[in-house]
Amino acid sequence: MKETEKAKRVTTRTILEMKAKNEKIAALTAYDAITAKVLDESGIDIILVGDSLSNVFQGNETTIPVTLDEMVYHAKIVVRAVKRALVVVDMPFMSYQVDAEEALRNAGRILKETAASAVKVEGGQAIAESVRRMTEVGIPVMGHLGLTPQSINKFGGYKPRGEEKTEASRILADAKLLESAGAFSIVLEKIPAQLAAKVTKSVKVPTIGIGAGESCDGQILVYADMLGLTQDFKPRFVRHYANMAEEMHNAFVRYIDEVKKGKFPSKEESY
Ligand code: KIV
């Protein structure tokens, strides 16, 4: 987008209208200002300050350890850098599961302190009442079903969810529950493409897939995965659009070499 063109804000309404217009929704994560700015200027629809920052940014094995304070810190930074995209913030593990009161208080804190536009929560039936309470008071909520990483200790691994009939029916029922509780969109993670297509057809709110096939109304990836920054993580659903880890490595090696050989800085780079 040219600097003179004023960016039209993407809102939750825009996202809902995109499904109605059959327009695909593109989403990626960001946790810092530089990435968020480049993403926003590239025309992304949704930026998720995902709790994947626990893995990507903090180097943890799961999303469990990241705290509400840390999510708020990163969300503030991202929001500050974004002019157009809809910024959604993940509610971290145990910031919304206890009861609706706590969910409401913590979601309210995220919106008030970060100026983000929406929150994302994982789960269906167990949190549907909290989703209802949040949406009733004006807090837009994105749902997340299928392989919900905050439940990794229950699942015991990252294998696809909803492959057998009972779980597939549960995911479909949960999607309808989230929709009736007021969620404005639903992330479907690592479920069979056929099931994702069925869910997408069954609800009016957009589904955003990650490892859930082509029929979802939109797609999301972790930015560091698609840029090839996370080298030891390559599930089938991640497409590498760049090999940034290699690019960074080569640049660092060149810099070190030039410093050691006295080739950097040059006269032109000095005062
Ligand atoms: O935390 C995250 O990045 C996510 C996306 C992968 C959907 O929840």
Side-chain angles (χ1 to χ4, degrees):
M1 180 172 302
K2 287 187 210 124
E3 257 177 52
T4 46
E5 281 177 43
K6 196 164 160 28
K8 193 168 184 287
R9 274 268 173 204
V10 179
T11 65
T12 53
R13 177 188 279 264
T14 321
I15 297 301
L16 281 155
E17 286 170 355
M18 285 173 83
K19 171 155 183 154
K21 288 191 276 189
N22 228 347
E23 204 180 309
K24 291 278 190 187
I25 299 156
L28 282 168
T29 65
Y31 325 108
D32 68 276
I34 294 173
T35 311
K37 186 170 187 289
V38 176
L39 254 183
D40 193 42
E41 290 172 354
S42 307
I44 199 83
D45 300 308
I46 298 175
I47 295 180
L48 172 69
V49 185
D51 59 359
S52 52
L53 85 81
S54 175
N55 314 75
V56 176
F57 198 88
Q58 299 179 325
N60 294 312
E61 250 182 56
T62 71
T63 58
I64 307 284
V66 68
T67 66
L68 183 60
D69 284 348
E70 289 163 346
M71 292 304 300
V72 166
Y73 173 82
H74 284 271
K76 270 187 200 172
I77 288 169
V78 167
V79 169
R80 219 178 281 142
V82 171
K83 290 196 170 73
R84 176 187 170 272
L86 180 80
V87 180
V88 181
V89 182
D90 252 333
M91 294 191 73
F93 183 56
M94 292 317 291
S95 69
Y96 59 95
Q97 288 94 338
V98 174
D99 58 30
E101 291 286 298
E102 199 163 283
L104 202 54
R105 199 164 292 119
N106 288 332
R109 182 182 164 206
I110 290 173
L111 259 58
K112 275 178 85 78
E113 292 185 25
T114 72
S117 300
V119 296
K120 177 165 84 57
V121 288
E122 297 182 5
Q125 194 175 27
I127 57 146
E129 182 49 28
S130 300
V131 174
R132 186 180 310 284
R133 291 289 305 280
M134 289 191 272
T135 57
E136 270 172 4
V137 300
I139 300 171
V141 179
M142 176 183 273
H144 187 159
L145 297 171
L147 178 65
T148 45
Q150 291 177 12
S151 299
I152 197 61
N153 291 315
K154 183 178 87 177
F155 295 149
Y158 288 91
K159 80 172 194 57
R161 308 306 308 179
E163 289 190 312
E164 47 92 24
K165 227 173 154 192
T166 320
E167 196 175 38
S169 309
R170 182 72 263 156
I171 290 170
L172 184 60
D174 278 344
K176 290 177 183 168
L177 264 178
L178 287 175
E179 177 180 41
S180 63
F184 76 91
S185 61
I186 303 167
V187 168
L188 298 175
E189 180 162 351
K190 221 172 176 183
I191 62 170
Q194 252 190 336
L195 173 61
K198 198 167 170 188
V199 173
T200 301
K201 263 202 183 138
S202 309
V203 293
K204 287 204 173 63
V205 296
T207 58
I208 315 285
I210 171 164
E214 59 175 9
S215 301
C216 294
D217 299 302
Q219 298 292 331
I220 185 161
L221 285 175
V222 168
Y223 89 94
D225 295 340
M226 58 83 80
L227 287 183
L229 277 167
T230 42
Q231 292 164 292
D232 45 2
F233 182 68
K234 181 68 184 78
R236 192 201 297 196
F237 63 79
V238 172
R239 184 179 296 177
H240 281 166
Y241 286 84
N243 193 344
M244 294 294 282
E246 201 178 302
E247 293 245 351
M248 282 170 75
H249 177 83
N250 292 344
F252 296 152
V253 166
R254 247 183 59 217
Y255 168 77
I256 293 163
D257 184 57
E258 291 185 359
V259 169
K260 302 262 182 205
K261 288 179 176 153
K263 288 186 176 170
F264 176 82
S266 65
K267 286 215 165 45
E268 294 73 35
E269 287 157 335
S270 307
Y271 298 91

